[in-house]
Amino acid sequence: MSGVPVPKFVFRGHQKAVHAATFVRKNERLVTGDSDGYVVLWDLMTMRAKAVWRAHEKAILGVQGWGDDKLITHGRDHKLIVWKIQEDDETRLSTALPLDGPSVDRPQPWVLHLLEVNTMNFCSFAACPAAPTGHCRFLDTAPEILVAVPNTLASEAIDIYSLPSQQRLHTIKTGASNGMAMSLAVFHHLERLTLIGAFENGYASVHQLSSTAAGTWVMTYRSQAHSQPVLSLDVRPDMSCFFTSSADAIIAKHPVPTQPQARAAGPAQRPGQEPPGGAKGKYGDRPDSESVAAKEWQHPKKVVNTKHAGQQSLCVRSDGALFATAGWDSKIRIYSCKTMKELAVLKWHKEGAYAVTFSNVGPGETQMFMDSERGGQDGTQSDALDVSRLTVTDRRSHRAKTAHWVAAGAKDGRVSLWDIF
């Protein structure tokens, strides 16, 4: 990469700040949601809007695709909605952008499921397939999924629902001293359902469903890497670790332990910090746990002071090599998952960036794309796709599906699309 990176394209259409973004349908569409509750599906072949509707009465907190025909949106109007939207459905929906004003008629897609949830936290939902799969994030082929959201009554507790049944399966009590839940992840780790929560007090904790005591959750990790509320977290696809970012300038890499350990065997506490369960009763509101001896404190794997406060929407790339953050200073930063070193700073937006996401491309697909760009001339892969023989439309579709896109949304209502790695 040479020179200063510039966006491949800039989508202009939102009137208010963009708070959520995700790629769906094998990267043929980019979905963005704003603080007025509007959702826009952008076609990455034509770079135009294919569907626009107002999904929520208040700000969108999160969006995620479910297969090729469903989209999950979570709004501050206390609703989590699953929409049915196939490619054929787009033809009956409006393409009038939010900038065109609220008076335009914008039909909504079909609502498949609606959950009344707590959104006082500004905490977006997390989801995973109901059955263990090889990836913790994607819902491409899952007929049934699990959705984690803050509990309706206790903002530090977490509820897990099943969809499509809409049944609440679990409530995990993380401890009232945490304050509000700010960011969540849910996935299967070594066949055990695992929840990660990050909280208002700067703590992050890992909870796993017991394999021996039905319905019981055990805390396997608890650590405070941040002095300010945690703004976002994401899990590396191999589930070996997770990352957190905060209102402070810290970014931390944490382990995902599978077993609780006795406190006596743990490392010494850091200066100025109380041991869990100390005389002052700091953790007197003990979370659900299999054992009184469950270890509630461990050190992160690595903590980095980036000198840049207010990084949020942390997202790990699907191959686990990089992660990105959206900064209150308007900059998008790319980091190495291995070293946590800053690799690139994407400067284009003039106001605070709130959302960033990577396209869903694995390492194998990346190699195929690189080989196809070379036309297979070096002979490294004999079955490389010959892009030169594709039609212009097929070539655009191929690139949309295989490029490592980075999309970022900001307070200015614009969405920048980057292709730099």
Side-chain angles (χ1 to χ4, degrees), residues 51-119:
V52 183
W53 73 97
R54 193 174 188 190
H56 296 273
E57 295 299 316
K58 294 185 178 180
I60 302 259
L61 293 174
V63 292
Q64 187 170 353
W66 179 5
D68 289 335
D69 62 346
K70 293 182 287 294
L71 180 71
I72 308 170
T73 63
H74 187 191
R76 288 220 65 218
D77 55 1
H78 303 287
K79 295 176 182 178
L80 185 144
I81 302 175
V82 180
W83 308 88
K84 181 176 174 61
I85 178 164
Q86 298 173 302
E87 188 171 352
D88 292 344
D89 297 326
E90 295 174 352
T91 58
R92 68 174 184 83
L93 299 177
S94 174
T95 58
L97 294 164
L99 278 174
D100 296 328
S103 60
V104 180
D105 180 34
R106 299 181 180 89
Q108 291 184 333
W110 185 261
V111 175
L112 289 177
H113 311 289
L114 189 154
L115 285 177
E116 297 285 346
V117 296
N118 172 22
T119 54

Side-chain angles (χ1 to χ4, degrees), residues 94-373:
S94 174
T95 58
L97 294 164
L99 278 174
D100 296 328
S103 60
V104 180
D105 180 34
R106 299 181 180 89
Q108 291 184 333
W110 185 261
V111 175
L112 289 177
H113 311 289
L114 189 154
L115 285 177
E116 297 285 346
V117 296
N118 172 22
T119 54
M120 295 299 292
N121 300 34
F122 297 91
C123 176
S124 178
F125 75 101
C128 73
T133 63
H135 202 291
C136 61
R137 182 187 300 143
F138 306 137
L139 311 177
D140 291 347
T141 60
E144 181 181 355
I145 65 172
L146 303 177
V147 174
V149 292
N151 179 264
T152 305
L153 299 178
S155 292
E156 77 284 350
I158 310 301
D159 289 334
I160 295 181
Y161 290 88
S162 170
L163 289 176
S165 73
Q166 300 186 202
Q167 179 183 1
R168 186 170 65 178
L169 302 180
H170 305 281
T171 297
I172 299 94
K173 300 174 184 178
T174 65
S177 61
N178 287 330
M180 294 191 298
M182 302 296 291
S183 189
L184 303 171
V186 62
F187 54 98
H188 297 273
H189 184 37
L190 300 179
E191 306 295 319
R192 293 177 65 183
L193 184 60
T194 302
L195 173 82
I196 300 177
F199 301 94
E200 189 179 13
N201 63 353
Y203 276 82
S205 57
V206 177
H207 307 259
Q208 292 191 319
L209 186 60
S210 172
S211 58
T212 57
T216 301
W217 287 78
V218 56
M219 180 189 292
T220 62
Y221 176 79
R222 176 179 167 88
S223 180
Q224 185 184 26
H226 303 280
S227 60
Q228 298 291 324
V230 179
L231 298 178
S232 59
L233 72 86
D234 201 10
V235 184
R236 200 161 185 250
D238 63 3
M239 289 157 273
S240 62
C241 63
F242 69 99
F243 302 86
T244 55
S245 66
S246 169
D248 60 24
I250 297 295
I251 291 179
K253 178 193 288 189
H254 308 264
V256 185
T258 57
Q259 295 293 331
Q261 301 175 30
R263 289 192 185 109
Q269 71 203 64
R270 286 182 283 186
Q273 293 174 333
E274 293 179 290
K280 294 184 180 180
K282 185 176 179 181
Y283 301 98
D285 51 341
R286 166 168 289 282
D288 293 346
S289 176
E290 284 181 328
S291 168
V292 176
K295 179 180 175 183
E296 296 178 356
W297 182 270
Q298 288 181 349
H299 293 301
K301 286 187 170 185
K302 191 168 186 178
V303 174
V304 175
N305 186 344
T306 66
K307 311 295 185 184
H308 307 292
Q311 296 185 66
Q312 64 182 58
S313 189
L314 191 152
C315 182
V316 179
R317 200 168 73 172
S318 56
D319 61 0
L322 308 173
F323 68 88
T325 62
W328 292 349
D329 61 359
S330 79
K331 298 177 178 63
I332 306 302
R333 291 181 169 84
I334 311 294
Y335 297 89
S336 163
C337 282
K338 183 177 181 180
T339 66
M340 296 184 66
K341 290 183 178 179
E342 185 182 282
L343 302 179
V345 180
L346 309 184
K347 305 176 185 178
W348 186 85
H349 296 279
K350 304 301 182 185
E351 300 182 79
Y354 297 148
V356 66
T357 187
F358 282 107
S359 58
N360 304 331
V361 181
E365 291 162 305
T366 303
Q367 184 61 52
M368 175 179 282
F369 173 69
M370 293 172 64
D371 290 340
S372 66
E373 290 288 283

Side-chain angles (χ1 to χ4, degrees), residues 371-415:
D371 290 340
S372 66
E373 290 288 283
R374 291 193 298 264
Q377 295 176 0
D378 58 4
T380 56
Q381 190 167 337
S382 59
D383 58 349
L385 180 65
D386 188 352
V387 177
S388 64
R389 297 187 178 184
L390 298 177
T391 64
V392 172
T393 299
D394 288 342
R395 197 176 306 168
R396 288 177 178 172
S397 175
H398 173 66
R399 179 162 183 86
K401 291 179 179 180
T402 55
H404 268 309
W405 299 114
V406 180
K411 186 178 179 180
D412 56 14
R414 297 175 181 178
V415 179

